[in-house]
């Protein structure tokens, strides 16, 4: 569908996740010249502006999870009337576990132009520092806080073969690592990245059980990203391992052909190979 033409546009811009020197030249231009800056936290924005020695010419308004609904409509009205709106969050790219998604969704639905000024990303920074495979990965954000919901989520992810990236608050890191160790096994490789790009940047790598012990004996501070290796490839099923199950069904009165079919379906293996394994076990 063709995008409608509008005098204004929305730009999602990435801001430094720690080191202010990572602010791009384009971000500086946008902060200085945008008609409107929508910021997750206006106080943090002012600190960023001071650090970059930028005096914005546009209007600054707050845009966060508690006022998204009302402010989204306001921002879209501003764009329709010809204003260029810059959307920034506290750190990194908007809409990645931060405000921004609803604004983009609504703007796209109304045919308004949305673009981006790419910048720092805590997800990609931690992934590249983790030492874990980067060819395939998924971002899972924050795990549920309630134990039951967290356990269920980890059960779903236990067979995920892609590298997984999570966010977590420092005071909840120990609980999270314990849950990961229980859900994925203590030997699963992982990395904890904290204070990335800052003076006290630290990346700890090792099995989950080791990282858990570290968190138990340390007062963890700073922004935290946890990267966990995906599940190892499951070895192919050996049909011979399921011969006993077939024999049990046959001894219960089920025909051999039907028993083989039932067991093969449950185990998700070849009926032909299982039948051959049963005959081999019987010396036929």
């Amino acid at each position: 569908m063709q995008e409608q033409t509008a005098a204004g546009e929305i730009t999602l811009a990435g801001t430094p996740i720690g080191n202010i020197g990572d602010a791009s030249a384009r971000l500086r231009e946008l902060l200085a010249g945008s008609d409107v800056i929508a910021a997750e936290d206006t106080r943090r924005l002012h600190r960023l502006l001071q650090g970059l020695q930028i005096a914005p010419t546009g209007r600054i308004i707050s845009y966060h999870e508690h006022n998204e609904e009302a402010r989204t409509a306001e921002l879209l009205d501003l764009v329709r009337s010809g204003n260029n709106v810059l959307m920034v969050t506290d750190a990194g790219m908007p809409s990645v576990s931060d405000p921004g998604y609803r604004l983009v969704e609504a703007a796209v639905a109304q045919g308004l132009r949305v673009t981006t000024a790419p910048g720092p990303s805590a997800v990609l920074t931690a992934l590249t520092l983790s030492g874990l495979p980067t060819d395939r990965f998924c971002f899972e954000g924050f795990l549920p806080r309630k134990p039951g919901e967290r356990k269920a989520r980890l059960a779903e992810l236990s067979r995920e073969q892609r590298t997984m990236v999570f966010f977590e608050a420092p005071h909840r890191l120990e609980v999270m690592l314990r849950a990961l160790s229980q859900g994925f096994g203590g030997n699963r490789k992982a990395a904890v990245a904290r204070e990335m790009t800052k003076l006290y940047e630290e990346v700890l790598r090792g099995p989950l059980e080791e990282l858990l012990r570290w968190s138990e004996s340390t007062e963890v501070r700073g922004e935290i990203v946890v990267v966990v290796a995906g599940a190892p490839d499951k070895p192919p099923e050996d049909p011979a391992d399921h011969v006993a199950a077939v024999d049990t069904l046959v001894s219960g009165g089920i025909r051999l052909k039907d028993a083989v079919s039932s067991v093969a379906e449950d185990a998700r293996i070849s009926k032909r190979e299982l039948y051959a394994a049963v005959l081999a076990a019987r010396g036929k």
Side-chain angles (χ1 to χ4, degrees), residues 2-253:
Q2 187 174 4
E3 188 179 72
Q4 297 177 4
T5 301
E9 67 179 12
I10 297 169
T11 302
L12 307 178
T15 55
I17 61 175
N19 191 322
I20 197 170
D22 293 332
S24 69
R26 189 174 174 206
L27 173 63
R28 294 167 185 263
E29 292 174 1
L30 289 166
L31 288 170
S34 294
D35 299 312
V36 179
I37 303 176
E40 181 182 10
D41 186 326
T42 57
R43 293 168 300 180
R44 291 198 181 191
L45 173 62
H46 282 296
R47 287 199 293 269
L48 176 63
L49 292 170
Q50 288 177 342
L52 296 174
Q53 297 183 331
I54 293 174
T57 58
R59 171 187 171 197
I60 297 175
I61 64 174
S62 64
Y63 186 85
H64 47 74
E65 61 177 335
H66 302 298
N67 68 2
E68 270 186 302
E69 185 173 352
R71 280 287 160 82
T72 292
E74 179 183 348
L75 291 174
L76 296 184
D77 287 340
L78 288 168
V79 173
R80 276 192 292 268
S81 63
N83 292 279
N84 291 322
V85 174
L86 174 65
M87 171 77 220
V88 295
T89 53
D90 293 347
M93 287 299 299
S95 82
V96 182
S97 280
D98 278 333
Y101 164 72
R102 290 182 181 176
L103 179 61
V104 173
E105 180 185 39
V108 170
Q110 297 184 29
L112 299 175
R113 176 170 169 74
V114 180
T115 187
T116 184
S121 165
V123 175
L124 296 181
T125 302
L127 178 67
T128 55
L129 290 174
S130 70
L132 298 172
T134 59
D135 53 338
R136 297 176 67 238
F137 69 94
C138 59
F139 173 58
E140 288 294 324
F142 289 89
L143 287 173
R145 294 189 186 184
K146 295 182 179 179
E149 294 178 3
R150 183 170 57 240
K151 183 177 181 180
R153 176 72 58 80
L154 293 177
E156 294 175 0
L157 294 172
S158 62
R159 295 185 180 181
E160 173 60 66
Q161 294 186 343
R162 295 172 294 179
T163 300
M164 295 167 280
V165 184
F166 301 89
F167 285 167
E168 190 51 277
H171 64 278
R172 292 197 299 267
L173 180 62
E174 181 183 335
V175 172
M176 179 202 192
L177 291 174
R178 182 172 291 106
L180 289 173
S181 185
Q182 293 171 348
F184 298 158
N187 290 326
R188 183 79 69 92
K189 291 183 179 180
V192 174
R194 57 177 295 274
E195 296 293 86
M196 292 182 296
T197 76
K198 298 180 182 179
L199 179 62
Y200 297 106
E201 176 181 280
E202 182 178 26
V203 182
L204 294 103
R205 308 172 182 89
L208 282 168
E209 58 186 5
E210 289 185 10
L211 296 176
L212 173 59
R213 286 197 294 269
W214 164 78
S215 69
E216 291 172 336
S217 59
T218 305
E219 183 181 357
V220 183
R221 296 181 179 180
E223 301 293 330
I224 301 292
V225 182
V226 179
V227 187
V228 183
D233 292 334
K234 187 178 180 181
E237 293 278 357
D238 185 349
D241 294 338
H242 301 277
V243 169
V246 173
D247 290 339
T248 298
L249 293 179
V250 170
S251 64

